[in-house]
Coordinates of all heavy atoms in Angstrom, one line a residue:
S32 N 0.8 -1.2 0.0 CA 0.0 0.0 0.0 C 0.9 1.3 0.0 O 1.9 1.3 0.6 CB -0.9 0.0 1.2 OG -1.5 1.2 1.4
I33 N 0.4 2.3 -0.7 CA 1.1 3.6 -0.7 C 0.4 4.7 0.0 O 0.8 5.8 0.1 CB 1.4 4.0 -2.1 CG1 0.1 4.3 -2.9 CG2 2.3 3.0 -2.9 CD1 0.3 5.0 -4.2
D34 N -0.8 4.3 0.6 CA -1.6 5.4 1.2 C -1.9 5.0 2.7 O -3.0 5.4 3.2 CB -2.9 5.6 0.4 CG -3.7 4.3 0.2 OD1 -3.4 3.3 0.9 OD2 -4.6 4.3 -0.7
M35 N -1.1 4.2 3.3 CA -1.2 3.8 4.7 C -2.4 2.9 5.0 O -2.8 2.7 6.1 CB -1.3 5.1 5.6 CG -0.1 6.0 5.5 SD 1.4 5.2 6.1 CE 1.0 5.0 7.8
S36 N -3.0 2.4 4.0 CA -4.2 1.5 4.2 C -3.7 0.1 4.4 O -2.5 -0.2 4.0 CB -5.1 1.6 3.0 OG -4.4 1.2 1.8
E37 N -4.5 -0.7 5.0 CA -4.1 -2.1 5.3 C -5.3 -3.0 4.8 O -6.4 -2.7 5.1 CB -3.9 -2.3 6.8 CG -2.7 -1.5 7.3 CD -2.5 -1.7 8.8 OE1 -3.2 -2.6 9.3 OE2 -1.7 -1.0 9.4
L38 N -4.9 -4.0 4.1 CA -5.9 -5.0 3.7 C -6.0 -6.0 4.8 O -5.0 -6.5 5.3 CB -5.6 -5.6 2.3 CG -5.2 -4.7 1.2 CD1 -5.0 -5.5 -0.1 CD2 -6.2 -3.6 1.0
E39 N -7.3 -6.3 5.1 CA -7.5 -7.2 6.3 C -8.3 -8.4 5.9 O -8.7 -8.6 4.8 CB -8.2 -6.3 7.4 CG -7.4 -5.1 7.9 CD -6.2 -5.5 8.8 OE1 -6.1 -6.7 9.1 OE2 -5.5 -4.6 9.2
Q40 N -8.6 -9.2 7.0 CA -9.5 -10.3 6.8 C -10.8 -9.8 6.2 O -11.4 -8.9 6.7 CB -9.7 -11.0 8.1 CG -10.7 -12.2 8.0 CD -10.9 -12.8 9.4 OE1 -10.4 -12.4 10.4 NE2 -11.8 -13.8 9.5
G41 N -11.3 -10.5 5.2 CA -12.6 -10.1 4.6 C -12.3 -9.4 3.2 O -13.2 -9.3 2.4
D42 N -11.0 -8.9 3.0 CA -10.7 -8.3 1.7 C -10.3 -9.4 0.7 O -10.2 -9.2 -0.5 CB -9.5 -7.4 1.9 CG -9.9 -6.1 2.6 OD1 -11.0 -5.6 2.2 OD2 -9.2 -5.6 3.4
S43 N -10.0 -10.6 1.2 CA -9.6 -11.7 0.4 C -10.6 -11.9 -0.8 O -11.8 -11.7 -0.7 CB -9.5 -13.0 1.2 OG -8.5 -13.0 2.1
G44 N -10.0 -12.4 -1.9 CA -10.8 -12.6 -3.1 C -11.1 -11.4 -4.0 O -11.4 -11.6 -5.2
G45 N -10.8 -10.2 -3.5 CA -11.0 -9.0 -4.3 C -9.9 -8.9 -5.3 O -8.8 -9.5 -5.2
G46 N -10.2 -8.1 -6.4 CA -9.2 -8.0 -7.5 C -8.4 -6.8 -7.4 O -8.9 -5.7 -7.1
L47 N -7.1 -6.9 -7.7 CA -6.2 -5.8 -7.9 C -6.2 -5.4 -9.3 O -5.9 -6.2 -10.2 CB -4.8 -6.1 -7.4 CG -3.7 -5.0 -7.6 CD1 -4.1 -3.8 -6.7 CD2 -2.3 -5.5 -7.2
V48 N -6.7 -4.2 -9.6 CA -6.8 -3.8 -11.0 C -5.9 -2.7 -11.4 O -5.5 -1.9 -10.6 CB -8.3 -3.3 -11.3 CG1 -9.3 -4.4 -11.0 CG2 -8.7 -2.1 -10.4
F49 N -5.5 -2.7 -12.7 CA -4.6 -1.6 -13.2 C -5.3 -1.0 -14.4 O -6.0 -1.7 -15.2 CB -3.3 -2.2 -13.7 CG -2.4 -2.8 -12.5 CD1 -2.7 -4.0 -12.0 CD2 -1.4 -2.0 -12.0 CE1 -1.9 -4.5 -11.0 CE2 -0.7 -2.4 -10.9 CZ -0.9 -3.7 -10.4
S50 N -5.2 0.3 -14.6 CA -5.9 1.0 -15.7 C -5.0 1.0 -16.9 O -3.8 1.1 -16.8 CB -6.2 2.4 -15.2 OG -5.0 3.2 -15.0
R51 N -5.7 1.0 -18.0 CA -5.1 1.1 -19.3 C -5.9 2.0 -20.2 O -7.1 1.9 -20.2 CB -4.9 -0.3 -20.0 CG -4.0 -1.2 -19.3 CD -4.1 -2.6 -19.8 NE -3.8 -2.7 -21.3 CZ -4.0 -3.8 -22.0 NH1 -4.5 -4.9 -21.5 NH2 -3.7 -3.7 -23.3
S52 N -5.3 2.8 -21.0 CA -6.0 3.7 -21.9 C -6.1 3.0 -23.3 O -5.1 2.6 -23.9 CB -5.3 5.0 -22.1 OG -5.3 5.7 -20.9
L53 N -7.4 2.8 -23.7 CA -7.6 2.2 -25.0 C -8.2 3.2 -26.0 O -8.8 4.2 -25.5 CB -8.6 1.0 -24.8 CG -8.2 -0.1 -23.8 CD1 -9.3 -1.1 -23.7 CD2 -6.8 -0.7 -24.2
G54 N -8.1 2.9 -27.2 CA -8.7 3.8 -28.2 C -7.6 4.8 -28.8 O -6.4 4.7 -28.6
T55 N -8.1 5.8 -29.5 CA -7.2 6.8 -30.1 C -6.8 7.9 -29.1 O -7.4 7.9 -28.0 CB -7.9 7.5 -31.3 OG1 -9.1 8.2 -30.8 CG2 -8.4 6.4 -32.3
E56 N -5.9 8.7 -29.5 CA -5.5 9.8 -28.6 C -6.6 10.8 -28.3 O -6.7 11.3 -27.2 CB -4.3 10.6 -29.2 CG -3.0 9.7 -29.3 CD -1.9 10.6 -29.9 OE1 -2.1 11.8 -30.1 OE2 -0.8 10.0 -30.1
T57 N -7.5 11.0 -29.2 CA -8.6 11.9 -29.0 C -9.8 11.3 -28.3 O -10.6 11.9 -27.7 CB -9.1 12.5 -30.4 OG1 -9.4 11.4 -31.2 CG2 -8.0 13.3 -31.0
E58 N -9.9 9.9 -28.4 CA -11.0 9.2 -27.8 C -10.5 8.1 -26.9 O -11.0 7.0 -27.0 CB -12.0 8.7 -28.9 CG -12.6 9.8 -29.7 CD -13.6 9.2 -30.7 OE1 -13.7 7.9 -30.8 OE2 -14.2 10.0 -31.4
A59 N -9.5 8.4 -26.1 CA -8.9 7.4 -25.2 C -9.9 7.0 -24.1 O -10.6 7.9 -23.6 CB -7.7 7.9 -24.6
K60 N -10.1 5.7 -23.9 CA -11.0 5.3 -22.8 C -10.2 4.5 -21.8 O -9.4 3.6 -22.1 CB -12.1 4.3 -23.4 CG -13.0 5.0 -24.4 CD -14.0 4.1 -24.9 CE -15.0 4.8 -25.9 NZ -16.0 3.8 -26.4
E61 N -10.3 4.9 -20.5 CA -9.6 4.3 -19.4 C -10.4 3.1 -19.0 O -11.6 3.2 -18.6 CB -9.4 5.2 -18.3 CG -8.5 4.7 -17.2 CD -8.3 5.7 -16.1 OE1 -9.3 6.3 -15.7 OE2 -7.2 5.8 -15.6
R62 N -9.8 1.9 -19.1 CA -10.4 0.6 -18.7 C -9.6 0.0 -17.6 O -8.4 0.2 -17.5 CB -10.6 -0.3 -19.8 CG -11.4 0.2 -21.0 CD -12.8 0.3 -20.7 NE -13.6 0.8 -21.8 CZ -14.3 0.0 -22.6 NH1 -14.4 -1.3 -22.4 NH2 -15.0 0.5 -23.6
Y63 N -10.2 -0.7 -16.7 CA -9.5 -1.4 -15.6 C -9.5 -2.9 -15.8 O -10.5 -3.5 -16.1 CB -10.2 -1.1 -14.3 CG -9.8 0.3 -13.8 CD1 -10.5 1.4 -14.4 CD2 -8.8 0.6 -12.9 CE1 -10.2 2.7 -14.0 CE2 -8.4 1.9 -12.5 CZ -9.1 3.0 -13.1 OH -8.8 4.2 -12.7
F64 N -8.3 -3.5 -15.8 CA -8.0 -4.9 -16.0 C -7.6 -5.5 -14.7 O -6.8 -5.0 -13.9 CB -6.9 -5.1 -17.0 CG -7.4 -4.8 -18.4 CD1 -7.5 -3.5 -18.8 CD2 -7.6 -5.8 -19.3 CE1 -7.9 -3.2 -20.1 CE2 -7.9 -5.5 -20.7 CZ -8.1 -4.2 -21.1
I65 N -8.2 -6.7 -14.4 CA -7.8 -7.5 -13.2 C -6.5 -8.3 -13.5 O -6.5 -9.0 -14.4 CB -8.9 -8.4 -12.7 CG1 -8.6 -9.0 -11.4 CG2 -9.4 -9.4 -13.8 CD1 -9.8 -9.7 -10.7
Y66 N -5.5 -8.1 -12.6 CA -4.3 -8.8 -12.7 C -4.0 -9.6 -11.5 O -3.1 -10.5 -11.5 CB -3.1 -7.9 -13.1 CG -3.2 -7.5 -14.5 CD1 -3.7 -6.3 -14.9 CD2 -2.6 -8.3 -15.5 CE1 -3.8 -5.9 -16.2 CE2 -2.7 -7.9 -16.9 CZ -3.2 -6.7 -17.2 OH -3.3 -6.3 -18.5

C-alpha cells in the first residue's frame, strides 16, 4: 500500500486492477483490468 491503508480479513478474493488507456489519442478510454 502507498496510502497507509491495510488490507485485512474479509478483503480476500477481491481483485487488484490496473488501468489502461484504450482507443485513439482523441477518444482514449480508461479501462480497468484485473491482474
Side-chain angles (χ1 to χ4, degrees):
S32 170
I33 62 168
D34 53 16
M35 300 298 291
S36 60
E37 297 177 9
L38 311 188
E39 300 285 356
Q40 180 184 356
D42 287 318
S43 289
L47 179 61
V48 297
F49 293 83
S50 65
R51 294 170 57 190
S52 293
L53 304 178
T55 63
E56 292 184 3
T57 56
E58 297 182 358
K60 295 181 179 179
E61 189 177 43
R62 302 291 181 100
Y63 285 79
F64 287 74
I65 184 170
Y66 283 96

